[in-house]
Amino acid sequence: MKSAPVTIKDIAKALNISISTVSRALRGMPEIHPDTRSAVMRLAEEWDYQPNQLAKNLAKSRTKTIGVIVPNLSYYFFSAMLNSIEDAAIQAGYSVLVCQSNESYLRETMQIQNLLRSQVEGFILSLSRDTSNCAHVERLIQKNVPLVLFDRYADNMAASKVMVDNREAAFKATEHLIENGCRRIAFLAGPPQLVLSNQRLAGYRDALTKHGLYMGDQYVFHCDYTQENTLMQTLALMSLPQPPDGLLTVSDRIAYPAMYAMKQKGVRIPDDVAVVSFNNEPLSSLFSPSLTSISQPIQEMGMETVRLLLRQLEATDGPITPETTVMPTQLVVRESSLRMKSADFLNGVLSS
Amino acid sequence: MKSAPVTIKDIAKALNISISTVSRALRGMPEIHPDTRSAVMRLAEEWDYQPNQLAKNLAKSRTKTIGVIVPNLSYYFFSAMLNSIEDAAIQAGYSVLVCQSNESYLRETMQIQNLLRSQVEGFILSLSRDTSNCAHVERLIQKNVPLVLFDRYADNMAASKVMVDNREAAFKATEHLIENGCRRIAFLAGPPQLVLSNQRLAGYRDALTKHGLYMGDQYVFHCDYTQENTLMQTLALMSLPQPPDGLLTVSDRIAYPAMYAMKQKGVRIPDDVAVVSFNNEPLSSLFSPSLTSISQPIQEMGMETVRLLLRQLEATDGPITPETTVMPTQLVVRESSLRMKSADFLNGVLSS
DNA sequence: TTGTATGCGTTATCAT
DNA sequence: ATGATAACGCATACAA
């Protein structure tokens, strides 16, 4: 039971002037007489007038709003990206509508439709785990709706993308394990339909091959990002006839339960199994052992994503050719992968 | 550069009928002739017609939308609450607009204003860390805008609230520490302006007093929820002339860095210091030692929050008297607080 | 400097 | 069963 909100019509009536004058005064147009303006402002203030954004947007046929859909905001990576995206968007005068797909293809499709109906002018999108069919995204592209994908994208899509060099990152992570004496390196991958998971898998294979350690994918297991599933996959991995002595995981969120399961089994980290992961969440440094992880430049990725979208939003002449930005990663070495032999340690100390 | 979206007017023109007929057909009104309806539907489908939600809402003067403002979605508690709230809201035919205050009072005020302008019909709100002045919320109440606060609320506000029994929870957590042999129990509290922090502080004091262990607040330190600050406070705590042998923290998010700092200092957990915390995040069971924590019924809290809001939204006769729901918590005991003396252990084994 | 009139895309109240 | 037409709250081109 709330009273009807005050409109410019109310103000106009009270002041005995026309609504257009009120409208102009409120928006600070220069042609308005100072007295009129101050009278309008006073009343608006006093009545706590709030412009109706719906009406405003409808009248201008513009919302200056972009829709953001991510799989799940409880993942550090996505909530951090959201913050970065929001900052950049606000900076550019846009506001943001956020939705979660909850890793569901169906929900993703519905969210796109909802946002479309809410007249968002463009999309920033990271695909759900269960999205293999991309017809819904293709339709956006066909309609020339400005769109940028980040992190979780699909191949063969004529859309702008922002991502890190997943292959290279996995390659250097794997090499790091090799340098630390690992010979049987396992990979806890993500769902097979995730491009980024496959790219990281490729980097992992390449590194092993380069060092003559590739023995097929017997050490590759796929996880679905849930804790239970990861625990199971890890146990399966460790009960292999020849258990691994090194482990690469596709995400910190997978590394945590994996490390837990191994510790429960009496496996020492890094001595028995060295671990490297992806994402470098703030928590990864607090675990014991602290977790070596690939860090992504989240801040910059968010800004870049918005930049690519703005380029499309503000394009005047025809559809824009999609751009892809590949950003660099950094391996943050911590305890979970450091197996310093005493000789190496001494060398390190002496040479510094 | 996207082409103008199709409207009912376009469909009407193409079919040579009036827009009202199209509108009715699209909404499945019974009075429409089957042939007309199917013709309209066909074209709408073919052209991928999307109703303009702005226009719809403006015409109906209803948005069926509720605004949710939380401090930060990267906290597990808040993103989990959001999921629960969204589910319940959708269930009731409402959609949700989410905003983060980023723990800033200013931002919180702006978000409220933005949501108000977007014509949300009600608010679900958890106050920012920096919110001590509550004029912005009071104004909502004065305007009779439906509103429910959860978790982070302020006292003396005539609004509906959902929370857990913080005092009781802290009391039983502290008693648990005492039962496990702790005699000098410290409390890493949150910012002093957070009501929930003070309530937990009260429960902590009461438990100590009851057992004759209260020695003033020399063991109470306030954290601001950042990792760095928590590390510092923990180090300060441990360098007290008589360091604590038990630790209660106001949040898992504070417990993680605290445990990390202690381990760095060679403090053994739980032997030297036993730890109990709040929130029972999924990760708390993966740390080593696994973390004893107070669990809140997030799913139920979200549903209850929405229920209280709906009661206001759908009230017809005058303003509703605010309701407060206090929900139960559960102490989930794990390794960080379990100091089983060998005798107890044997008893436990023998009696089972 | 101000007012009038029209439109934004839809719903809803009249008629017909 | 369908068609005009007036809202909804605001912006804006055109008049005055």
Side-chain angles (χ1 to χ4, degrees):
Chain A
M1 240 273 326
K2 35 178 297 234
S3 41
V6 22
T7 70
I8 52 172
K9 198 186 289 182
D10 299 324
I11 298 184
K13 201 173 301 173
L15 259 36
N16 232 337
I17 56 183
S18 79
I19 62 167
S20 31
T21 305
V22 176
S23 171
R24 287 191 268 250
L26 250 14
R27 281 175 299 149
M29 314 227 75
E31 64 234 25
I32 289 296
H33 190 96
D35 293 355
T36 329
R37 180 198 317 302
S38 58
V40 169
M41 290 311 217
R42 236 192 95 282
L43 203 54
E45 175 82 8
E46 183 185 331
W47 286 354
D48 192 26
Y49 164 76
Q50 301 288 347
N52 184 325
Q53 198 65 42
L54 301 182
K56 224 164 178 165
N57 288 337
L58 185 60
K60 306 185 72 153
S61 295
R62 282 218 66 181
T63 59
K64 279 266 194 179
T65 298
I66 70 191
V68 176
I69 306 180
V70 294
N72 198 317
L73 285 169
S74 74
Y75 299 168
Y76 166 76
F77 176 75
F78 291 121
S79 68
M81 273 296 288
L82 172 62
N83 286 327
S84 169
I85 288 170
E86 268 192 320
D87 287 348
I90 288 176
Q91 188 78 18
Y94 284 79
S95 54
V96 167
L97 247 37
V98 207
C99 300
Q100 306 181 73
S101 64
N102 284 338
E103 302 282 18
S104 144
Y105 167 72
L106 196 67
R107 183 115 176 193
E108 187 172 279
T109 316
M110 288 177 43
Q111 302 286 27
I112 288 183
Q113 201 158 61
N114 286 340
L115 289 174
L116 232 31
R117 294 180 173 178
S118 298
Q119 309 299 112
V120 299
E121 300 182 6
F123 283 86
I124 290 178
L125 197 45
S126 198
L127 299 179
S128 96
R129 185 188 60 203
D130 295 345
T131 299
S132 42
N133 176 344
C134 283
H136 56 321
V137 184
E138 296 289 359
R139 272 200 298 172
L140 289 181
I141 298 174
Q142 278 180 1
K143 287 196 190 181
N144 276 320
V145 179
L147 164 68
V148 180
L149 293 159
F150 75 91
D151 191 53
R152 304 246 205 114
Y153 63 96
D155 279 326
N156 312 325
M157 277 193 2
S160 290
K161 301 174 186 126
V162 173
M163 70 197 90
V164 295
D165 190 338
N166 286 302
R167 209 208 58 83
E168 190 263 352
F171 187 89
K172 72 185 172 198
T174 308
E175 270 203 324
H176 170 76
L177 285 170
I178 297 173
E179 281 161 10
N180 276 270
C182 300
R183 289 302 170 261
R184 292 183 308 283
I185 300 176
F187 182 37
L188 282 179
Q193 63 270 33
L194 279 194
V195 172
L196 73 87
S197 177
N198 294 326
Q199 291 179 331
R200 290 174 191 179
L201 181 54
Y204 156 86
R205 284 186 189 128
D206 290 353
L208 290 183
T209 304
K210 170 178 171 191
H211 293 271
L213 294 172
Y214 186 58
M215 305 171 290
D217 283 347
Q218 48 180 311
Y219 286 116
V220 176
F221 285 66
H222 292 271
C223 302
D224 67 3
Y225 282 94
T226 67
Q227 235 173 246
E228 306 72 41
N229 178 265
T230 305
L231 292 173
M232 283 183 44
Q233 304 287 355
T234 307
L235 293 180
L237 202 53
M238 298 315 292
S239 35
L240 250 31
Q242 291 248 17
D245 59 0
L247 175 62
L248 181 66
T249 61
V250 77
S251 155
D252 290 352
R253 201 148 291 273
I254 294 215
Y256 302 145
M259 285 169 64
Y260 176 84
M262 291 192 292
K263 283 191 279 190
Q264 292 294 307
K265 280 284 171 190
V267 175
R268 290 168 307 163
I269 304 170
D271 307 274
D272 299 331
V273 178
V275 180
V276 176
S277 179
F278 273 85
N279 279 4
N280 192 36
E281 299 185 2
L283 282 183
S284 62
S285 62
L286 299 182
F287 267 80
S288 46
S290 57
L291 181 58
T292 295
S293 196
I294 293 276
S295 139
Q296 310 190 31
I298 298 186
Q299 193 65 36
E300 291 74 16
M301 287 177 75
M303 292 175 54
E304 176 66 9
T305 306
V306 172
R307 201 182 63 77
L308 292 188
L309 189 67
L310 286 176
R311 175 165 298 194
Q312 297 175 57
L313 284 169
E314 273 145 27
T316 61
D317 41 357
I320 272 221
T321 56
E323 298 174 75
T324 295
T325 304
V326 179
M327 313 208 66
T329 59
Q330 205 184 335
L331 179 68
V332 180
V333 178
R334 300 202 183 85
E335 297 163 354
S336 70
S337 68
L338 262 196
R339 282 175 180 171
M340 253 193 192
K341 282 151 277 172
S342 49
D344 290 351
F345 181 68
L346 277 180
N347 284 341
V349 170
L350 293 176
S351 68
S352 66
Chain B
M1 240 279 321
K2 35 177 295 235
S3 41
V6 22
T7 71
I8 51 173
K9 198 186 288 181
D10 299 324
I11 298 183
K13 202 174 298 172
L15 258 38
N16 231 337
I17 56 182
S18 79
I19 60 167
S20 17
T21 304
V22 177
S23 172
R24 284 190 272 248
L26 251 14
R27 281 176 298 155
M29 314 229 76
E31 64 233 27
I32 289 296
H33 190 96
D35 294 354
T36 338
R37 179 197 319 303
S38 57
V40 169
M41 290 311 217
R42 235 191 96 281
L43 203 54
E45 175 84 8
E46 184 185 330
W47 286 354
D48 191 27
Y49 164 76
Q50 301 288 347
N52 184 324
Q53 196 66 41
L54 301 182
K56 223 165 179 163
N57 289 338
L58 185 60
K60 307 183 72 152
S61 296
R62 280 220 66 182
T63 58
K64 278 264 192 183
T65 298
I66 69 190
V68 176
I69 306 180
V70 295
N72 198 317
L73 285 168
S74 73
Y75 300 168
Y76 166 75
F77 176 75
F78 290 121
S79 69
M81 273 295 289
L82 172 61
N83 285 327
S84 169
I85 288 170
E86 268 192 321
D87 287 348
I90 288 175
Q91 188 78 16
Y94 284 78
S95 54
V96 167
L97 246 39
V98 208
C99 301
Q100 306 183 74
S101 64
N102 285 338
E103 301 283 19
S104 142
Y105 166 72
L106 196 66
R107 183 115 176 194
E108 187 172 280
T109 316
M110 288 177 43
Q111 302 285 28
I112 289 183
Q113 200 157 63
N114 286 340
L115 290 174
L116 232 31
R117 294 181 173 176
S118 298
Q119 309 300 111
V120 299
E121 301 183 6
F123 283 86
I124 290 177
L125 197 46
S126 198
L127 299 179
S128 95
R129 185 188 60 203
D130 294 346
T131 300
S132 42
N133 175 345
C134 283
H136 55 321
V137 184
E138 296 289 359
R139 272 200 299 172
L140 289 181
I141 298 174
Q142 277 180 2
K143 285 196 191 181
N144 276 319
V145 178
L147 164 67
V148 180
L149 293 159
F150 75 91
D151 191 53
R152 305 248 204 113
Y153 62 96
D155 280 324
N156 312 325
M157 277 193 1
S160 290
K161 301 174 186 124
V162 173
M163 70 197 89
V164 295
D165 191 337
N166 287 302
R167 207 206 61 80
E168 190 263 352
F171 186 90
K172 73 184 172 201
T174 308
E175 270 203 325
H176 170 76
L177 285 170
I178 297 173
E179 282 160 11
N180 276 269
C182 300
R183 290 301 170 262
R184 289 183 310 282
I185 300 176
F187 181 36
L188 282 180
Q193 62 270 34
L194 280 194
V195 173
L196 73 85
S197 177
N198 293 326
Q199 291 178 331
R200 290 173 191 179
L201 181 55
Y204 156 87
R205 284 188 189 126
D206 290 353
L208 290 184
T209 304
K210 170 179 171 191
H211 293 271
L213 293 172
Y214 185 58
M215 303 172 291
D217 284 346
Q218 48 180 310
Y219 286 116
V220 176
F221 285 66
H222 292 271
C223 302
D224 66 5
Y225 282 94
T226 67
Q227 231 171 250
E228 307 72 41
N229 178 264
T230 305
L231 291 174
M232 282 183 46
Q233 304 287 356
T234 308
L235 293 180
L237 203 53
M238 298 315 291
S239 35
L240 250 31
Q242 291 246 17
D245 58 0
L247 175 62
L248 181 65
T249 62
V250 78
S251 156
D252 290 351
R253 201 149 290 275
I254 297 228
Y256 302 146
M259 284 169 60
Y260 176 83
M262 291 192 293
K263 283 190 279 191
Q264 291 294 308
K265 280 286 170 186
V267 176
R268 291 168 308 163
I269 304 172
D271 308 274
D272 298 332
V273 177
V275 180
V276 176
S277 179
F278 273 84
N279 279 3
N280 193 36
E281 298 184 2
L283 283 183
S284 62
S285 61
L286 300 182
F287 267 79
S288 48
S290 58
L291 181 58
T292 296
S293 195
I294 293 276
S295 138
Q296 310 190 31
I298 298 186
Q299 193 65 34
E300 291 75 16
M301 286 176 77
M303 293 175 53
E304 177 66 9
T305 306
V306 172
R307 201 182 62 77
L308 292 188
L309 189 67
L310 287 176
R311 175 163 299 193
Q312 297 174 57
L313 284 168
E314 273 143 28
T316 62
D317 41 356
I320 271 221
T321 56
E323 299 174 76
T324 295
T325 305
V326 179
M327 312 209 65
T329 59
Q330 204 183 337
L331 179 69
V332 181
V333 178
R334 300 201 183 86
E335 297 163 354
S336 70
S337 67
L338 264 196
R339 283 176 179 170
M340 254 195 193
K341 283 150 277 173
S342 48
D344 291 350
F345 180 68
L346 277 178
N347 285 340
V349 170
L350 293 175
S351 69
S352 67

